[in-house]
Amino acid sequence: MSKEAVISFLDAVPQNEELQQKLVAILESSENDREDAAQLANEYGYDITPDELWAEIQKRQQETKVRQEAGELTDEELEAVAGGEMIVATIASTVAMTVSVGGSIAVGILAPKIKW
């Protein structure tokens, strides 16, 4: 269990369509999505806890908030705006995961608003 494992998991999500789909399904339907998202990460070989995952998501949300307040966009956010779609990535920049102001996470993919 480590911060590095959480970062590795979040970096893997945009690269793995199956993982993305499973994560979106969890975020859409799970009553305990933090636990279930961490369990999914563990199934893919990332030894993380829900608390570690949540801490990294909160960190990335804060970084995004600071950037947005300064009027800055990442390359991914700028591309999403130019393309007319909203990418909420974090699970997390997620992950490359950036987080939208609405509080949704995604991981380089479109994702629903989560309950965290």
Side-chain angles (χ1 to χ4, degrees), residues 58-71:
Q58 288 181 312
K59 175 183 163 257
R60 291 178 183 208
Q61 287 176 335
Q62 182 60 34
E63 289 170 353
T64 299
K65 181 179 177 184
V66 168
R67 260 196 345 270
Q68 289 174 340
E69 289 173 354

Side-chain angles (χ1 to χ4, degrees), residues 8-79:
S8 293
F9 170 68
L10 295 178
D11 289 345
V13 174
Q15 309 302 320
N16 185 324
E17 188 172 329
E18 179 181 303
L19 180 55
Q20 289 175 22
Q21 291 172 355
K22 288 180 179 182
L23 184 57
V24 169
I26 287 170
L27 297 175
E28 288 178 337
S29 64
S30 175
E31 290 296 318
N32 194 351
D33 49 6
R34 287 187 205 178
E35 292 280 336
D36 293 341
Q39 182 178 348
L40 176 66
N42 283 287
E43 290 171 10
Y44 277 79
Y46 301 94
D47 188 19
I48 66 174
T49 67
D51 290 338
E52 290 169 332
L53 181 58
W54 181 232
E56 181 63 20
I57 289 169
Q58 288 181 312
K59 175 183 163 257
R60 291 178 183 208
Q61 287 176 335
Q62 182 60 34
E63 289 170 353
T64 299
K65 181 179 177 184
V66 168
R67 260 196 345 270
Q68 289 174 340
E69 289 173 354
E72 300 174 8
L73 294 175
T74 65
D75 291 341
E76 292 83 9
E77 291 167 333
L78 186 58
E79 187 175 317

Side-chain angles (χ1 to χ4, degrees), residues 84-101:
E85 63 182 85
M86 180 175 172
I87 296 182
V88 189
T90 168
I91 266 178
S93 306
T94 49
V95 183
M97 179 169 152
T98 25
V99 179
S100 76
V101 175

